[in-house]
Amino acid sequence: METQTPKVATDEQKNNGRRMLFDFGPLLLFFVTNYIYSDLMLSVKVLVVATLVSLAASWYLERRVSLLAAIGCAALVFFAGLTIYFDNEFFIKIKPTVVTLLFAVLIAGGRLIGRNPLEAIIGKQIDLTQKGWRAISWLWVSMFTTSALANELAWRTLSTDDWITFKVFGLTAISFLFFVLSVPILQKYQRRY
């Protein structure tokens, strides 16, 4: 009888799990807080604190914070601040629309003037040919535009509780779908050394 040694998670697997926790942990806390208390203002405060803690932990453990995460956090603090100050849920509801459209415009605008803003943002994590960067850039523009349109439809037609569920799970599902669509591009255009 053969004995099997247990598989030990690699550092990369641990880092991916940690990043996932840092990315989705605050959103899940936002959802759970609203589910338990049905209080959007409290849920927004929890989201801001959890996001700041997540970024601080990321910095402490990895000595880096991604540019996208930093921009997302700054936007969250700004829109959450407006939401709390004016006691108006409108601001937190439009945040995903504004941020994703901003990213879409920046990436598309950069591509149209011959620049590659996406490579500048995530180029240390993946190494693609120029054709690959062009394809992935337009895919991300599509993802951000789809997310913005979906959020607009959701916050205008759903109750606040249903919108929160959509924000946490629906927008995440859209991102996951586009991640799956990006895999063939990444495989085809990955630089080989």
Side-chain angles (χ1 to χ4, degrees):
M1 186 163 135
E2 231 177 89
T3 59
Q4 291 183 338
T5 56
K7 291 186 178 179
V8 178
T10 66
D11 285 343
E12 186 176 334
Q13 289 170 327
K14 289 177 186 176
N15 288 341
N16 287 341
R18 188 182 312 139
R19 276 188 219 109
M20 196 174 217
L21 178 65
F22 291 158
D23 289 344
F24 298 111
L27 278 176
L28 289 175
L29 283 173
F30 175 63
F31 174 77
V32 168
T33 302
N34 190 71
Y35 182 80
I36 293 170
Y37 297 104
S38 293
D39 183 343
L40 178 67
M41 295 305 161
L42 173 63
S43 302
V44 167
K45 292 172 187 173
V46 166
L47 177 61
V48 170
V49 170
T51 302
L52 291 171
V53 167
S54 173
L55 281 183
S58 179
W59 175 255
Y60 177 77
L61 294 171
E62 299 176 3
R63 289 292 179 228
R64 70 176 193 84
V65 172
S66 76
L67 183 58
L68 288 176
I71 292 169
C73 183
L76 171 64
V77 169
F78 176 74
F79 284 98
L82 291 174
T83 299
I84 293 165
Y85 182 79
F86 290 108
D87 193 25
N88 188 338
E89 61 191 39
F90 167 78
F91 297 104
I92 200 68
K93 287 181 174 181
I94 65 162
K95 180 238 167 213
T97 301
V98 172
V99 171
T100 54
L101 277 181
L102 176 66
F103 283 141
V105 167
L106 288 173
I107 294 169
R111 293 304 316 184
L112 291 173
I113 63 169
R115 303 279 187 228
N116 191 354
L118 192 57
E119 182 180 12
I121 295 170
I122 63 168
K124 290 182 179 169
Q125 288 138 1
I126 56 175
D127 191 12
L128 301 175
T129 64
Q130 285 308 307
K131 208 172 188 180
W133 281 115
R134 188 170 34 258
I136 208 79
S137 291
W138 291 115
L139 183 66
W140 278 43
V141 167
S142 299
M143 175 186 67
F144 287 134
T145 303
T146 300
S147 294
L149 292 172
N151 186 66
E152 277 301 295
L153 182 64
W155 81 261
R156 291 172 186 271
T157 60
L158 300 174
S159 69
T160 296
D161 289 343
D162 289 342
W163 172 79
I164 289 172
T165 301
F166 169 79
K167 178 183 177 9
V168 174
F169 299 105
L171 290 178
T172 301
I174 291 170
S175 296
F176 182 74
L177 171 67
F178 277 90
F179 169 75
V180 169
L181 293 174
S182 72
V183 169
I185 295 169
L186 296 173
Q187 290 174 338
K188 182 175 181 179
Y189 295 108
Q190 186 76 33
R191 286 190 196 273
R192 311 269 191 258
Y193 295 102

